Amino acid sequence: MPTDLPPTSVDPDAKKGKLWKTILVWSLVGLLGAVSWTILALHRGETINAVWFVFAGVCSYFIAHRFYAKYIENRVAMPDDRRATPAEYAANGKDFVATDRRVLYGHHFAAIAGAGPLVGPVLAAQMGFLPGTIWIILGVIFAGAVQDYLVLFFSMRRKGRSLGQMAREELGPIGGTAAIFATLMIMLIIVAILALVVVNALGESAWGVFSVSMTIPIAIFMGCYLRFFRPGKVMEISFIGFGLLLAAIIGGGYIAGTEWGQAIFHLDKIWIAIAIIIYGFVAAVLPVWLLLSPRDYLSTFMKIGVIAMLAGAILIVRPEISAPAFSEYIGREDGPIVAGSVFPFLFVTIACGALSGFHALISSGTTPKMVHKERQTRFIGYGGMLMESFVALMAIVAALSIDRGIYFAMNAPAAATGGTVETAVQFVNNLGLTNVNLTPDMLTQLAQNVGEKSVVSRTGGAPTLAVGIATIMQHLTGPGLMGFWYHFAIMFEALFILTAVDAGTRVARFQLQEAVGNIWPKFADNNWKPAVWGATGLMVLGWGSILILGVTDPLGGINTFFPLFGVANQLLAAVALAVCASIVAKRGRHAFKVLWVVLAPLAFDLAVTLTGSWLKIFSPNPKVGYFANMHAFQNALAEGKTSFGSAKNVEAMQAVVRNTMVQGSLSVVFAILTIIVVVSAIVSMVKSWKLDGQPTTEPRPIPSRTYEPSGFIPTAAEREVEQQWDALPVDLRLTASADGKHA
């Protein structure tokens, strides 16, 4: 092997531009952001222009990535591109695959950006525009992106260890075992809810089913193209894949209009659920380069493209939002969409757009096994989470842009609205909302415009977001295309979420293999097919069973299970942050000067989620407490009632009893496991302070023999090194191509 290779790293401070230009640019960004935030915070008129949401978010994200994330990189993570990553020294062509940073960013973003940034903000819009906006933007900067970045970095430094396994190694057997159980159980809930949102979005939609299905063969073609035909030609296959994706979307609309298309692709929800279960298993066992990575990269074109298109449309159309900064339900517990006051339930409802434990599983699952160079983790981990937050911001703006009466009619469950236009109008007008006067014509005309039979009680967030996107876009393209934009958005959302299902299943397999591997080491071998297939089958069986339960739930699975999803997701974030805090503290007392970066979001998350868990378990209000609700329905059944509350028949009443019992019991288990993990982390940090550090669990560094830039766009210094590597003879180049196969 040659020893006279070009440099494998670049000084991050090399070749800086003129200081005055930098100061001027960032001063202008900061000024625009400050003006936008001031308008959002102080505005109390009847309407507010949506452009201020875009400016506030974008300016905040740029500043956070440039300064706060850089501070974390320099003081907490301290990456070194001279060290080889697991994707280089443990490459196996299946899970450990050095991947082009742009492709990996697409995979990571697609994997983390599931239902949360679409559903949660839509539901939380019930409380007004300001609380959700503040949490989405500030929450991601100081909590969500910090967690994603550090978990990704620490996992990469530990050969791609899963969160549960890192906890076991860092916190000891008690805290580690609790973390393993918590991550496995919460993972099942999260993946099931993600899949349930996909089912609801694609249910009886031939257009959506066809278009989403076609992304699978397109992704396989892309994977083979990069692996065998044109290794390293990322931009080339990007244009080809994007063209094929557009063809699938356009073709889906045509096929959905034919009799044979309806016969084949117009499926009931139960069959879509079964198809997703099968897909989840297959995607989790195939080599990552063949389906998962290229499909997620392909999906990212769609995801970021649509969100950028929506943001651009908002800047052009400048829609006026009539929702108040703080709604009538800001401090009430009887919200028709989200039961519970703003604290803690706003922060639980908006999970993935601000802080999500599910992201920690991806950041310690597939992504750390594919990172090519250490400094890329800031761009992928912190930057990927900022992009998801922007998705959440656009989701809440889209939901707020439609009429408030229509919003409540669409998102309240059928058990509350009655399911018909007339009963929904009566329900909404009796809520006592300011400046809301819903009429039957408003609902019937909207349904006609978007090509649906009804928009009443289209719960789950996806239909409301689709209506919001269609409402904004029709101002640019004309009202005649509102139906096109609605179905386009539905398909986009299903594609958006499904990519988190396949990655989540693969990560769940990693989690289970490593957990069992502590007892049976052979089972942790990712190259041993019986373990791979067995672990995948068990995890798919687990979340698939919950998915079927949600699909067949007479009261609607999303309304039933999303509160548990939110609490479990945020408790998992507390586990991840506790593990990160323990790792930082083990460096010695000097590291405690920067430990606040992790402890601050951990403390806030614990305050939110443990309060939320307490209320969901012990609240005597049946609208809030699981067990209070369960007892109320049990008493009604004992009294011989055939309908009660939101349940219109005995079957629905029994379903409420069963589901609230399951949710309440799981909430108790999740809270106890989280407390055990956090206490174990505190004990570890105290020990680290007393001993001025503890032994690290990182393996000995291995010198890197490859090179790739750290950000999406290479700096001048990075381009110079790239040119040196490109000048090498083909047989001596060690740079990894997009799929990890050496060119």
Side-chain angles (χ1 to χ4, degrees), residues 255-269:
I255 290 174
T258 65
E259 292 185 5
W260 64 269
Q262 286 290 326
I264 296 175
F265 298 105
H266 188 91
L267 302 176
D268 292 334
K269 290 183 178 180

Side-chain angles (χ1 to χ4, degrees), residues 256-528:
T258 65
E259 292 185 5
W260 64 269
Q262 286 290 326
I264 296 175
F265 298 105
H266 188 91
L267 302 176
D268 292 334
K269 290 183 178 180
I270 189 67
W271 290 109
I272 296 176
I274 294 173
I276 290 175
I277 291 172
I278 296 173
Y279 167 78
F281 178 86
V282 173
V285 298
L286 287 176
V288 69
W289 61 265
L290 180 59
L291 176 59
L292 190 67
S293 183
R295 187 185 187 283
D296 289 351
Y297 181 57
L298 177 66
S299 301
T300 300
F301 277 109
M302 181 71 172
K303 296 177 178 182
I304 297 180
V306 171
I307 294 303
M309 177 190 71
L310 178 59
I314 290 173
L315 295 178
I316 297 172
V317 176
R318 299 188 299 126
E320 294 289 332
I321 291 175
S322 60
F326 302 98
S327 80
E328 298 84 349
Y329 293 101
I330 192 71
R332 292 164 56 178
E333 294 185 338
D334 60 343
I337 299 169
V338 177
S341 59
V342 64
F343 184 89
F345 291 107
L346 170 81
F347 308 97
V348 171
T349 303
I350 301 179
C352 299
L355 173 64
S356 171
F358 174 73
H359 296 185
L361 302 181
I362 302 297
S363 295
S364 63
T366 54
T367 308
K369 298 175 178 62
M370 297 189 284
V371 172
H372 192 177
K373 305 297 288 185
E374 287 198 348
R375 286 181 56 227
Q376 293 172 353
T377 52
R378 177 170 73 105
F379 160 62
I380 295 169
Y382 199 98
M385 181 54 185
L386 291 180
M387 177 56 71
E388 185 185 354
S389 179
F390 188 57
V391 172
L393 184 63
M394 292 299 94
I396 197 170
V397 170
L400 292 166
S401 66
I402 68 176
D403 180 85
R404 288 188 75 205
I406 293 176
Y407 166 81
F408 280 92
M410 290 188 67
N411 287 280
T417 65
T420 69
V421 170
E422 291 75 16
T423 55
V425 169
Q426 183 179 5
F427 166 77
V428 171
N429 289 336
N430 287 336
L431 290 176
L433 302 173
T434 304
N435 297 325
V436 170
N437 183 25
L438 187 64
T439 64
D441 289 344
M442 295 170 66
L443 293 176
T444 55
Q445 185 62 51
L446 176 61
Q448 181 180 346
N449 290 344
V450 300
E452 292 287 333
K453 293 181 179 179
S454 174
V455 295
V456 173
S457 294
R458 293 296 303 274
T459 58
T464 301
L465 178 57
V467 168
I469 292 175
T471 301
I472 293 172
M473 292 304 300
Q474 59 128 359
H475 289 292
L476 292 179
T477 60
L481 290 178
M482 191 171 181
F484 167 83
W485 287 116
Y486 175 83
H487 287 92
F488 176 86
I490 287 291
M491 190 280 302
F492 149 74
E493 292 170 305
L495 179 65
F496 203 112
I497 300 164
L498 188 58
T499 52
V501 174
D502 51 25
T505 302
R506 197 179 195 93
V507 171
R509 186 253 287 180
F510 291 148
Q511 297 272 347
L512 183 58
Q513 280 192 260
E514 290 188 357
V516 177
N518 291 310
I519 304 172
W520 181 15
K522 177 67 174 176
F523 200 80
D525 185 358
N526 287 314
N527 296 314
W528 190 40

Side-chain angles (χ1 to χ4, degrees), residues 96-136:
F96 291 87
V97 180
T99 304
D100 183 284
R101 66 199 183 282
R102 295 158 296 189
V103 176
L104 185 56
Y105 179 90
H107 158 74
H108 183 75
F109 170 70
I112 65 173
L118 300 178
V119 177
V122 172
L123 301 181
Q126 168 190 274
M127 298 181 182
F129 71 76
L130 191 56
T133 300
I134 292 174
W135 173 234
I136 287 171

Side-chain angles (χ1 to χ4, degrees), residues 394-689:
M394 292 299 94
I396 197 170
V397 170
L400 292 166
S401 66
I402 68 176
D403 180 85
R404 288 188 75 205
I406 293 176
Y407 166 81
F408 280 92
M410 290 188 67
N411 287 280
T417 65
T420 69
V421 170
E422 291 75 16
T423 55
V425 169
Q426 183 179 5
F427 166 77
V428 171
N429 289 336
N430 287 336
L431 290 176
L433 302 173
T434 304
N435 297 325
V436 170
N437 183 25
L438 187 64
T439 64
D441 289 344
M442 295 170 66
L443 293 176
T444 55
Q445 185 62 51
L446 176 61
Q448 181 180 346
N449 290 344
V450 300
E452 292 287 333
K453 293 181 179 179
S454 174
V455 295
V456 173
S457 294
R458 293 296 303 274
T459 58
T464 301
L465 178 57
V467 168
I469 292 175
T471 301
I472 293 172
M473 292 304 300
Q474 59 128 359
H475 289 292
L476 292 179
T477 60
L481 290 178
M482 191 171 181
F484 167 83
W485 287 116
Y486 175 83
H487 287 92
F488 176 86
I490 287 291
M491 190 280 302
F492 149 74
E493 292 170 305
L495 179 65
F496 203 112
I497 300 164
L498 188 58
T499 52
V501 174
D502 51 25
T505 302
R506 197 179 195 93
V507 171
R509 186 253 287 180
F510 291 148
Q511 297 272 347
L512 183 58
Q513 280 192 260
E514 290 188 357
V516 177
N518 291 310
I519 304 172
W520 181 15
K522 177 67 174 176
F523 200 80
D525 185 358
N526 287 314
N527 296 314
W528 190 40
K529 289 185 178 180
V532 171
W533 288 52
T536 303
L538 287 174
M539 298 309 289
V540 169
L541 179 64
W543 66 255
S545 300
I546 300 172
L547 171 61
I548 297 298
L549 183 65
V551 170
T552 57
D553 183 8
L555 295 184
I558 288 296
N559 296 89
T560 301
F561 288 103
F562 199 82
L564 179 63
F565 166 85
V567 171
N569 197 23
Q570 302 300 66
L571 287 174
L572 188 56
V575 171
L577 289 168
V579 173
C580 289
S582 177
I583 291 174
V584 174
K586 285 188 175 183
R587 293 175 174 173
R589 291 177 183 170
H590 69 279
F592 279 71
K593 296 179 181 178
V594 296
L595 196 57
W596 63 270
V597 170
V598 187
L599 291 182
L602 173 60
F604 182 78
D605 185 39
L606 285 173
V608 167
T609 51
L610 292 181
T611 301
S613 297
W614 178 273
L615 292 174
K616 297 301 290 184
I617 295 169
F618 296 108
S619 174
N621 184 351
K623 291 183 176 294
V624 177
Y626 289 131
F627 293 115
N629 196 26
M630 181 190 71
H631 292 315
F633 277 82
Q634 280 180 330
N635 294 336
L637 286 169
E639 294 171 2
K641 295 181 179 179
T642 57
S643 64
F644 182 75
S646 58
K648 303 305 180 184
N649 52 57
V650 173
E651 180 188 13
M653 294 170 66
Q654 293 172 339
V656 171
V657 173
R658 179 183 66 249
N659 292 336
T660 50
M661 178 62 181
V662 170
Q663 293 178 98
S665 301
L666 288 176
S667 295
V668 173
V669 173
F670 293 161
I672 292 175
L673 291 174
T674 302
I675 291 172
I676 293 174
V677 172
V678 172
V679 171
S680 299
I682 293 174
V683 171
S684 176
M685 285 185 280
V686 171
K687 186 177 180 180
S688 295
W689 174 265

